Amino acid sequence: MQANTSITKKPGSSVNDAFASHFAKSMFLTIAGLLILTFIGTRMFTHVDLNLYGYMVGTIVFIGGFFYRFIAWGERPPTKLFIKKGLKLLFRKSTPKTAVNHLAIYDFIRNRGVYRWVQHILIGWGCVLAFLVTFPLVFSWMYFTMEDNGYYTIVLFGMNIMNVKADGIIAWLSYNALNIAAIMVTAGVCMALYRRLKNMQARAEQKFMYDFLPLYLLLFISITGLLLTFQNVVLHGWMQPQMSLIHQFSVIVTLIYLPFGKLAHIPFRPLSVFARNYREHYSEQHMKECKVCGDQFVSVEQSNDVIQVLDVNEIDFNMNDGFNLAELCLPCRRKYRIAKFSGFATHQVKVKEANQNANG
Amino acid sequence: MKKRLYLELENCIGCRSCLAACTQCGGHEERNRNYVYDVNPLVNRQTMPLMCLHCVNPACARSCPAQAIQIHETGAVLSALVEKCIGCQNCTIACPYGIPKFDTEQNLMYKCDLCIDRSKDGIPPMCASVCPTNTLQWLTDEEIEAKQKQFNLDNGKWVTSMPYLEGETNVKVNLPGILQGVTKLF
């Protein structure tokens, strides 16, 4: 692949050649983008909230880790293929519906159980809400000023968005957005922990480091965050500076860990929209017929893509009988294996597979 | 002591205990992940089980764009991680044996994980622990070697994993009896 590109393209002609690697380029563009947005958002760096300086550094380390992980992941042959074709099919009519379904209301999780769906909605949307509040605050894209007594002006990207009464409902919601998020996440995490400890199906597969640690981290963030509010309101700020450092520590550790553990599914999940589009689009184009029974079971495109991806991995399932195994429908492929074992051509017998569901 | 799943295919009587046992494994959500096939359904009653053979170089995991199919240190190729599986079904197309099952509603692939919560501690997987005819066995490498010696009649009819499979597998498959004219006592 590398050799090919250097032959077809003149070296030194593309902007990409200014960077040592994909990683360097992505990092440069992102940091530059953040700087520009912050420059605008803070009205030329006049409104930087230095209290949140630690979060800013943490975010930049997180972005480094995220690109490292994401690029390594995106370079895998099947992932690369889905990203490429997914981007091409991004503007299908069904994309908004699929995206809302997969990324916002998680219909597929509801089908796994309403309990799991509720816990995921609470954790997921709690985290999203917290992200939406903290990131603009950390980079000072959003801040509050008080020009008239008793009225706050909300400033977003240097523009005065609205004047709100300091003791009004919108102001109250803004002050407490992170508390609401923390309560949502705490409730969701408790539900998740309860299920992991009590549900026998779940218990069989849980590992402390992979499944519990992220939950404990989220709980750590939420509880220390809520304690900050508690200390302000009830304890007149007693030990508040110390707790704020602990909270900062919890957030930064979780951010840096995010791309590498279970939480990595958050940035990677949009690929499921790509995959759905890919399947829908190419199924409409041309379906593959099973080489044995003639049933249409997958799009021609996907069958070919899988064969090609396996080829990159030096796996080749071309049979002497004149087909690739990826060209057989699943029941025929299983029967073909039985035929290989027994020497009798089971896949040629036109009988539907019997009782495969242990239903008696 | 590392043990493997070992299949003596022609012992199968088609009782489907392995399917029923599979549904009862923790984490399987009461759905079985293995198969039992009639070899020649219109003529006789010979059946054979088919389960994931846990390839050393698994095509399903290689074709997964989401890295949802992980390989356990015991060599078991695990079922899709629920949070990572994006529902593209590449694995079902890639698997040379047609093993992975797909749930459209849950947008999730599931496959044999060799009952990993059991087998990681040396406990046989559910299917092997219930099989009444020793079709599915849970053996050490030495025991498998002894089996091979026992049935090696040097007549070229020894049927074992490699020539009949698509690659090296962690589960060993064997069809020793019928083809070699050995009478077996159960």
Side-chain angles (χ1 to χ4, degrees), chain A residues 235-251:
Chain A
L235 304 178
H236 307 291
W238 179 74
M239 289 283 277
Q240 215 257 9
Q242 287 85 343
M243 186 54 71
S244 120
L245 267 183
I246 296 173
H247 181 65
Q248 194 162 348
F249 170 79
S250 71
V251 172

Side-chain angles (χ1 to χ4, degrees), chain A residues 312-327:
Chain A
V312 176
N313 284 293
E314 295 181 337
I315 300 175
D316 167 28
F317 294 140
N318 282 317
M319 298 293 109
N320 292 331
D321 307 64
F323 47 74
N324 190 293
L325 285 176
E327 297 178 314

